[in-house]
Each structure stands twice: as structure tokens, then as C-alpha cells.
Amino acid sequence: MARELLSALCLVAVLEGLFLFLTPEGWKRTAERLYALTTPQLRTFGAVIVLVGLASLWAVRA
């Protein structure tokens, strides 16, 4: 299980790195927009991302 978790974290790093490499200006604009959100909005956004990720993981692993 630890090996799968580390593999997943490495894949996240690869994907984030690819997006930063391919579209650095897009990432800057996105970061500026996120910075403008309030704390409750960011928490809600984070919760939605976690739920979507868990649902996707469940669907893929089922």
C-alpha cells in the first residue's frame, strides 16, 4: 500500500510539473485568481477537489 501511495504522489508531481512547464503563464493567472478568493471559498474549493478525487479513485479502483 505504501508503494502505491508513493507512486500516486510521484504521478501528481509529474502532472503538476508538466502543467507548469507547458503553461507557466496560465498557472500564474490561476494562482492570482486563487489568491483573490476568501478563506471559506478556498476551503469549499479544496473540499470539492478532495471529494471529486475520492469519487474518481473509488470508480477507478472498483
Side-chain angles (χ1 to χ4, degrees):
M1 176 149 157
R3 186 175 182 174
E4 288 179 344
L5 178 60
L6 286 174
S7 295
L9 290 174
C10 291
L11 183 58
V12 168
V14 168
L15 291 174
E16 287 190 13
L18 276 174
F19 290 128
L20 285 169
F21 177 74
L22 295 174
T23 60
E25 293 302 319
W27 268 95
K28 286 181 182 181
R29 285 190 304 272
T30 301
E32 289 170 356
R33 289 181 191 149
L34 287 173
Y35 188 74
L37 294 176
T38 65
T39 299
Q41 288 173 320
L42 281 173
R43 287 185 192 270
T44 301
F45 183 68
V48 169
I49 296 295
V50 168
L51 292 173
V52 168
L54 287 172
S56 300
L57 181 61
W58 177 79
V60 168
R61 304 280 293 178

